[in-house]
Structures are given as structure tokens and as C-alpha cells.
């Protein structure tokens, strides 16, 4: 029987050998953090411009997070060496929580923009904390377990 360390951890969903999930996650992460920044600007300035920017950034965070999650889930299910690692499941659960928070944040802004302060700000803060947690476990998969890495024999 093969040990966990012996199972394949190469990416099954890749473009020219580069894991698609790893390429996609940067966008929702950036939009989650940008939404928090936008909320702080709105809190400081009370300029309704920032409410409109927040609608776009929170919606982009949610939609791109869903896309990254679909690809990540397919990767998790397709590669046995990823599936057997605890950090994979920690990352997946944290990412699902993050996408749910991002969806609530986008929905709040679309349907109740008057509640951006304080509710949107709290959701943005919570989403940023979830990004940190999910990112920590995603980083463990790459840096500690080598998930999705192609090790070149060239120097």
C-alpha cells in the first residue's frame, strides 16, 4: 500500500503545466481585500461613490471566488494525493466559508446598500480573515506538500 507521501500531487487541471486553481485564486483574494479598503474609505468619507465601488468589488470577489472554488473542487476530487491531505480539506472548508461570506457581502450591497455601515464593513472584515485562513492552508499545500508543483531537473 502506498503512503500519503507517495500519492500523485500533480495538478490535473492545468494550463501548460500551471495549476488553474492557483492562477485563479489571486483575483477573489484581491477583491475581498479591496472591498474592505473600499468600506474603510466609505466610513471615513461618507462619499456614496465608495458604496458603488463596493458593490462591484464584493460582486467580483464572490463571482471569481465561485469560479476558483469550482476549479479547486475539481482538482481536489481528481487528484488522490491532494484528497488524502488534511490541509486540503481545511483549505476547502475555509474557502467555502469565504465564498459564503463574500456572497452575503455582495447580496447585502445589491439589495441593502444602506447597511454597508456597519454590516458590510463587518462582512468585509470577516471575509478578509477567512482569506487569511484559507490562504494559510493553501500555502501549506504548495510549500509544505508540493501540491501542483512541477520540479524541474534543470538548474
Amino acid at each position: 500500500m502506498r503512503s500519503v507521501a507517495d500519492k500523485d500531487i500533480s495538478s490535473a487541471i492545468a494550463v501548460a503545466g500551471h495549476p488553474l486553481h492557483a492562477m485563479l485564486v489571486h483575483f477573489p483574494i484581491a477583491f475581498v481585500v479591496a472591498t474592505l479598503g473600499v468600506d474603510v474609505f466609505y466610513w471615513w468619507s461618507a462619499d456614496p461613490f465608495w458604496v458603488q465601488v463596493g458593490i462591484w468589488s464584493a460582486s467580483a470577489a464572490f463571482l471569481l471566488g465561485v469560479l476558483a472554488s469550482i476549479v479547486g473542487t475539481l482538482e481536489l476530487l481528481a487528484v488522490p494525493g491532494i484528497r488524502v491531505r488534511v490541509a486540503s480539506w481545511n483549505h476547502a472548508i475555509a474557502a467555502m466559508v469565504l465564498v459564503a461570506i463574500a456572497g452575503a457581502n455582495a447580496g447585502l450591497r445589491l439589495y441593502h446598500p444602506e447597511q454597508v455601515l456597519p454590516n458590510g464593513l463587518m462582512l468585509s472584515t470577516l471575509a478578509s480573515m477567512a482569506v487569511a485562513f484559507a490562504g494559510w492552508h493553501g500555502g501549506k499545500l504548495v510549500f509544505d506538500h508540493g501540491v501542483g508543483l512541477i520540479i524541474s531537473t534543470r538548474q
Side-chain angles (χ1 to χ4, degrees):
M1 188 165 132
R2 293 171 57 183
S3 72
V4 171
D6 294 336
K7 292 194 182 231
D8 181 30
I9 54 172
S10 61
S11 181
I13 303 171
V15 175
H18 299 284
L20 194 55
H21 177 69
M23 290 190 279
L24 291 174
V25 297
H26 302 296
F27 297 101
I29 291 169
F31 281 115
V32 163
V33 175
T35 304
L36 178 59
V38 163
D39 288 349
V40 169
F41 289 151
Y42 178 58
W43 183 26
W44 288 342
S45 71
D47 185 344
F49 166 78
W50 295 113
V51 174
Q52 292 300 311
V53 174
I55 290 170
W56 285 98
S57 63
S59 298
F62 173 63
L63 294 173
L64 292 169
V66 168
L67 179 62
S69 295
I70 290 168
V71 173
T73 300
L74 292 173
E75 190 83 75
L76 177 68
L77 297 174
V79 182
I82 297 174
R83 239 185 353 259
V84 297
R85 288 177 164 72
V86 173
S88 299
W89 294 101
N90 291 339
H91 175 66
I93 292 166
M96 286 185 270
V97 169
L98 169 59
V99 170
I101 295 167
N105 203 3
L108 173 91
R109 290 158 195 281
L110 284 170
Y111 298 107
H112 301 286
E114 72 282 357
Q115 294 182 14
V116 168
L117 292 178
N119 298 336
L121 178 60
M122 288 189 293
L123 285 169
S124 295
T125 302
L126 194 57
S128 294
M129 291 167 41
V131 158
F133 189 77
W136 176 271
H137 287 287
K140 282 176 64 174
L141 288 170
V142 173
F143 298 115
D144 292 352
H145 301 289
V147 169
L149 296 180
I150 298 172
I151 308 300
S152 175
T153 56
R154 295 184 293 168
Q155 295 270 344

